[in-house]
Amino acid sequence: MGGVPSTPRGGNLRQEDAEYLIGEFVGNRAYPVSSDFWQKLLDLPLTVQWPHDRILHACELFAQNNHHTRHLGKVLIHLVLCLQDSMSSSIASSASYKKAVNATYISSVFLKYIIENSKSEKFEDLCLSFDEDTKIHATSPMDQSIDSFFMRGVLSYIGASDVSPHSCLLHHELLNLMFVAMSTQLRSGPSPGMKDVHPFIDAAMIQESTVVAAVVRRLLLNFIVRPRVPFNGSNYPVFPEGSQPGVLQRVSSAAANFVLLPYYTFNYLVSSSGEGLRSPLADKSLLLLLILIHYRKCIIEDESITNTNVEAIGGNSYMKETYFCENPYCKALNSVRDVEFDRVDIEGNAQNGPVVRLPFASLFDTLGLCLDGESAVLLLYSLVHGNSDFLEYVLVRTDLDTLLMPILETLYNASKRTPNQIYMLLIVLLILSQDSSFNASIHKLILQSVSWYQERLLHKISLGSLMVVILIRTVKYNLSKLRDVYLHTNCLAILANMAPHVHKLSAYASQRLVSLFDMLSRKYIKLTDIMDDSVLKIAPDQFEGNITKEDMSPELHIYTDFLRIVLEIFNAILTYALPRNPEVVYAIMHRQEVFQPFKNHPRFNELIENIYTVLDFFNSRMDMQQMEGEWSVDKVLQVIITNCRSWRGEGMKMFNQLRFTYEQESHPEEFFIPYVWRLVVFDSTSVIGMQRHR
């Protein structure tokens, strides 16, 4: 490859010149970084087409020769220099822009191949240290590596350069290159370890705070603005009029095709992804941000223990504690502030370093439009969990349906979504439900209709009532399909947080709440019956101590807890909000037989007592009514409404309100790093598929 007799000539480069230059780049001759060879290589026209087998052969040759030529590091250096040239003038010249695009294409292809096929866990075959040949001027100091120089240059460009019709292609390809550079994480396990080496993303973590803040701001702005990147080459000044992208773009697409294939064995692919408002640049900006904020660099693993510790852990020979460096991108995201509100720090918690300022209103609206995609859900979670200012902004919005309706619709279509997406949305709702003003305001917002709800017509239902309906539906879906205790617990926790603040819960939501108790009680009774049969078959001398039936069934314990939480929910509504919820009283009275089996149950009787206090009160009022003809739903409900006004809660036992809060796991990186890369790989293969069929 590249073995053509001619050498590049001045003027317009021809196809044979391009063949020669690419051949020399992948060959065994080392060109100094100061050679004019690099200018000629990066001036290549994008009009030459190569088949996939030649591209693969070129990558193989390059990997073999890079130890000697160190051409990977040199092309990365020239990429940074091209980016610096582009930023040095107010209007980037077509020449510097074209070279930057070409350098990005070339770097992506060959870097990706070397990372994928590296035989070294530390990626020494990248050859990214400066030497006398690669030091060309003061911007490439000898005391840093090429990966650090490269990451500073690319991140500085991304953070400092506006996205315009002229530059959007370069921004798009730089984001692709960032994915390639940081994909060394796919060669490690799900838990970061001391021996893991990720040269590029580690270099990104040590950049100056001003660079970090600018990158976070730019990536979020790209997500908000959602700029369009036209893929027709004739729309860009770098391409000659009427021409289509050629050799380098074909190399990039083809390399992405075969280089990503081995990653499939890591099971990092997912089955679905939200479309959102399709903007490749916005989608890739968000994915890069997620990679950056969720990365953790392991710095210490403490495995020292004492003899006492050995005994405490049941004979294990060691205990391991992992410590991580602070992530500057996560810190920058958590400190993002609203451009419309300059908050005065009254607690002395002044922000160290630059503060990222963004329009929260636009961010809120964009999230509402894009929550059918998993990456947007992850961003929303990261913001409401880590950024107190954004969480406060969300809680004071009067149009919470902008955010909640897409969440509830996604939960409604849980069977078409991934379990991880469902989990993250439930955690978001749990965080929001920790605020009493949120729980109160969602019942004041009335929805005229809910077009996506198919089981029945929901007309003029409150957002809070719809939320109750969807959460109960999610519980029932989980019971039949996923059977995940964590998901169940989150749904019930949200309902418990909402319960004391319920206001005018709809008839349908009230019925579904009683139906939830009925469903869980049936499952509990069935498990109890099975356990009774098992106990009868066990000889008395086989019991140890005071073991009970419940001790023998973890599943029975789980359903006992679930039933208690649901009864706590009823108690909270009846104790704190009964006069405002006649439909709940009606639903309990209509199905009062479902509570009978638990009236004298030792595990539930104290929670059932309040329900029967309410039943006794309203049943007696019903008996006192002189009615002509049959009782109708409207007549019963009217009696309940009338007597709600005279309800004083006499005889009710007061229980402490259940309040569930969300706490992140001690090692969240074990979940988030594989999850984010799963989304990145799926996004990359989706783009490849679109290019293939265009």
Side-chain angles (χ1 to χ4, degrees):
M1 181 169 202
V4 293
S6 61
T7 57
R9 291 180 289 273
N12 294 327
L13 291 172
R14 302 180 305 174
Q15 178 162 336
E16 58 265 28
D17 298 330
E19 296 268 350
Y20 176 85
L21 290 168
I22 295 291
E24 289 296 292
F25 175 71
V26 304
N28 58 10
R29 179 181 176 183
Y31 284 90
V33 74
S34 57
S35 170
D36 63 354
F37 164 80
W38 298 102
Q39 299 304 316
K40 295 175 181 178
L41 176 68
L42 299 183
D43 269 331
L44 281 176
L46 303 181
T47 56
V48 183
Q49 303 270 333
W50 281 353
H52 291 186
D53 58 338
R54 293 190 67 195
I55 297 164
L56 177 57
H57 181 57
C59 289
E60 292 171 347
L61 285 175
F62 184 82
Q64 293 171 13
N65 296 319
N66 186 55
H67 295 277
H68 167 63
T69 64
R70 305 175 71 88
H71 279 179
L72 177 62
K74 294 172 186 177
V75 76
L76 293 178
I77 290 172
H78 278 281
L79 169 57
V80 173
L81 298 180
C82 291
L83 295 176
Q84 291 173 349
D85 288 342
S86 298
M87 290 190 293
S88 63
S89 59
S90 58
I91 301 177
S93 68
S94 295
S96 61
Y97 176 78
K98 173 184 175 180
K99 290 178 182 178
V101 172
N102 285 356
T104 306
Y105 281 148
I106 293 174
S107 301
S108 295
V109 175
F110 297 103
L111 175 60
K112 188 181 295 184
Y113 182 84
I114 291 181
I115 289 175
E116 171 63 24
N117 294 277
S118 176
K119 295 179 174 60
S120 167
E121 293 183 356
K122 295 185 178 180
F123 302 100
E124 285 99 341
D125 38 6
L126 293 173
C127 302
L128 296 176
S129 59
F130 279 109
D131 56 19
E132 289 300 330
D133 181 35
T134 50
K135 180 174 172 56
I136 55 176
H137 53 59
T139 60
S140 55
M142 296 290 289
D143 60 350
Q144 70 171 325
S145 59
I146 292 176
D147 45 281
S148 180
F149 175 73
F150 161 73
M151 289 303 296
R152 177 176 176 80
V154 174
L155 292 174
S156 296
Y157 180 86
I158 291 174
S161 301
D162 293 333
V163 177
S164 66
H166 180 87
S167 66
C168 58
L169 176 62
L170 179 55
H171 273 273
H172 184 270
E173 292 307 322
L174 285 173
L175 295 178
N176 283 336
L177 178 55
M178 289 294 97
F179 295 142
V180 172
M182 297 176 184
S183 67
T184 53
Q185 293 179 80
L186 292 175
R187 299 286 301 271
S188 303
S191 302
M194 279 289 293
K195 297 181 180 179
D196 292 346
V197 174
H198 305 299
F200 293 104
I201 193 167
D202 285 341
M205 293 296 140
I206 60 174
Q207 299 303 315
E208 296 176 1
S209 59
T210 53
V211 174
V212 170
V215 169
V216 170
R217 180 178 181 275
R218 170 51 55 197
L219 296 177
L220 284 172
L221 281 176
N222 288 348
F223 172 71
I224 294 171
V225 177
R226 313 195 70 73
R228 302 291 178 173
V229 181
F231 284 100
N232 184 344
S234 61
N235 292 335
Y236 293 93
V238 69
F239 300 128
E241 184 67 28
S243 69
Q244 296 297 322
V247 58
L248 297 179
Q249 190 162 352
R250 280 290 297 272
V251 168
S252 179
S253 301
N257 183 19
F258 67 76
V259 172
L260 280 174
L261 286 176
Y263 290 159
Y264 293 4
T265 61
F266 285 76
N267 294 320
Y268 282 147
L269 292 184
V270 293
S271 58
S272 64
S273 176
E275 289 297 315
L277 298 177
R278 288 303 300 170
S279 167
L281 187 60
D283 296 341
K284 291 181 184 298
S285 295
L286 177 53
L287 288 170
L288 179 58
L289 178 63
L290 293 174
I291 290 173
L292 291 169
I293 65 173
H294 289 297
Y295 178 67
R296 294 293 181 271
K297 175 65 174 177
C298 182
I299 54 173
I300 299 176
E301 283 185 340
D302 182 11
E303 298 183 356
S304 61
I305 57 172
T306 65
N307 292 332
T308 304
N309 288 336
V310 173
E311 295 176 0
I313 61 177
N316 289 337
S317 59
Y318 66 89
M319 292 182 66
K320 181 166 63 176
E321 185 67 31
T322 305
Y323 301 92
F324 300 99
C325 294
E326 183 180 56
N327 184 313
Y329 297 87
C330 182
K331 182 180 178 181
L333 182 71
N334 291 344
S335 64
V336 171
R337 299 292 180 260
D338 189 2
V339 293
E340 300 296 331
F341 181 60
D342 191 7
R343 186 174 187 174
V344 177
D345 181 24
I346 59 175
E347 298 178 357
N349 300 318
Q351 177 66 32
N352 294 323
V355 176
V356 178
R357 294 194 177 276
L358 287 169
F360 276 5
S362 299
L363 180 57
F364 179 91
D365 292 339
T366 305
L367 283 166
L369 291 171
C370 300
L371 284 179
D372 55 347
E374 293 190 69
S375 54
V377 172
L378 272 179
L379 176 61
L380 175 60
Y381 163 80
S382 301
L383 287 167
V384 299
H385 175 254
N387 190 310
S388 58
D389 277 42
F390 185 77
L391 174 59
E392 182 178 333
Y393 176 83
V394 171
L395 293 173
V396 300
R397 287 280 295 229
T398 58
D399 59 340
L400 281 168
D401 54 318
T402 300
L403 207 60
L404 290 186
M405 287 299 282
I407 293 177
L408 297 179
E409 183 177 2
T410 301
L411 293 176
Y412 177 79
N413 294 308
S415 61
K416 302 175 184 178
R417 304 297 182 180
T418 65
N420 284 345
Q421 187 175 8
I422 302 303
Y423 295 151
M424 299 312 300
L425 288 174
L426 288 175
I427 291 172
V428 168
L429 292 180
L430 179 58
I431 293 172
L432 296 177
S433 72
Q434 293 169 196
D435 184 81
S436 58
S437 64
F438 168 84
N439 294 321
S441 60
I442 57 176
H443 290 282
K444 299 175 183 178
L445 204 160
I446 305 300
L447 307 169
Q448 295 303 311
S449 63
V450 184
S451 59
W452 43 262
Y453 195 88
Q454 300 297 315
E455 279 77 357
R456 64 179 293 163
L457 179 64
L458 297 180
H459 180 61
K460 291 188 177 180
I461 186 173
S462 71
L463 183 59
S465 293
L466 178 63
M467 191 165 159
V468 170
V469 169
I470 297 301
L471 288 170
I472 293 172
R473 191 178 188 275
T474 304
V475 170
K476 293 187 175 182
Y477 168 74
N478 180 52
L479 275 177
S480 62
K481 300 293 183 182
L482 300 179
R483 300 182 181 179
D484 187 287
V485 174
Y486 179 73
L487 188 151
H488 234 81
T489 303
N490 273 347
C491 288
L492 296 179
I494 298 166
L495 289 170
N497 285 347
M498 294 171 60
H501 311 280
V502 166
H503 184 83
K504 293 184 179 179
L505 196 66
S506 72
Y508 184 55
S510 302
Q511 294 163 16
R512 302 315 294 161
L513 195 56
V514 176
S515 175
L516 172 64
F517 177 83
D518 185 31
M519 178 186 65
L520 294 174
S521 65
R522 289 175 185 272
K523 182 66 175 178
Y524 175 86
I525 292 170
K526 182 179 179 180
L527 289 171
T528 304
D529 291 342
I530 294 172
M531 193 57 59
D532 285 339
D533 293 339
S534 300
V535 170
L536 291 175
K537 296 176 183 178
I538 299 176
D541 58 358
Q542 292 179 284
F543 285 98
E544 297 181 4
N546 296 321
I547 190 170
T548 64
K549 292 183 298 182
E550 287 81 354
D551 293 324
M552 301 168 61
S553 172
E555 189 175 11
L556 190 58
H557 268 305
I558 291 170
Y559 276 90
T560 301
D561 292 339
F562 287 163
L563 274 176
R564 288 189 62 86
I565 293 175
V566 174
L567 288 173
E568 293 267 18
I569 291 169
F570 278 116
N571 270 272
I573 296 174
L574 298 177
T575 304
Y576 298 100
L578 185 147
R580 305 191 301 270
N581 292 282
E583 292 288 1
V584 176
V585 176
Y586 178 88
I588 292 174
M589 293 181 66
H590 183 65
R591 299 287 307 280
Q592 55 189 285
E593 72 280 356
V594 303
F595 301 99
Q596 184 62 39
F598 303 92
K599 188 172 184 180
N600 298 311
H601 195 293
R603 289 187 177 272
F604 306 106
N605 60 337
E606 81 280 6
L607 293 171
I608 288 287
E609 284 182 16
N610 278 346
I611 294 177
Y612 273 92
T613 298
V614 172
L615 285 172
D616 291 343
F617 176 86
F618 284 94
N619 282 332
S620 65
R621 297 306 187 273
M622 294 287 296
D623 293 339
M624 294 168 57
Q625 293 295 315
Q626 300 293 326
M627 289 295 301
E628 295 182 2
E630 297 292 329
W631 283 97
S632 65
V633 173
D634 290 339
K635 291 178 180 178
V636 173
L637 189 58
Q638 187 56 51
V639 172
I640 292 173
I641 292 172
T642 300
N643 285 279
C644 276
R645 300 184 188 123
S646 60
W647 169 259
R648 296 293 180 268
E650 297 175 359
M652 297 285 283
K653 291 185 177 181
M654 300 298 291
F655 295 97
N656 292 331
Q657 290 185 22
L658 281 185
R659 187 172 183 272
F660 291 88
T661 58
Y662 170 72
E663 292 185 7
Q664 195 175 70
E665 296 290 340
S666 58
H667 290 286
E669 69 283 346
E670 295 179 3
F671 170 79
F672 286 109
I673 291 178
Y675 185 24
V676 171
W677 276 104
R678 188 181 306 145
L679 299 178
V680 172
V681 174
F682 179 80
D683 179 80
S684 300
T685 54
S686 297
V687 172
I688 293 166
M690 289 189 289
Q691 290 174 343
R692 222 181 258 141
H693 293 92
R694 224 183 9 245

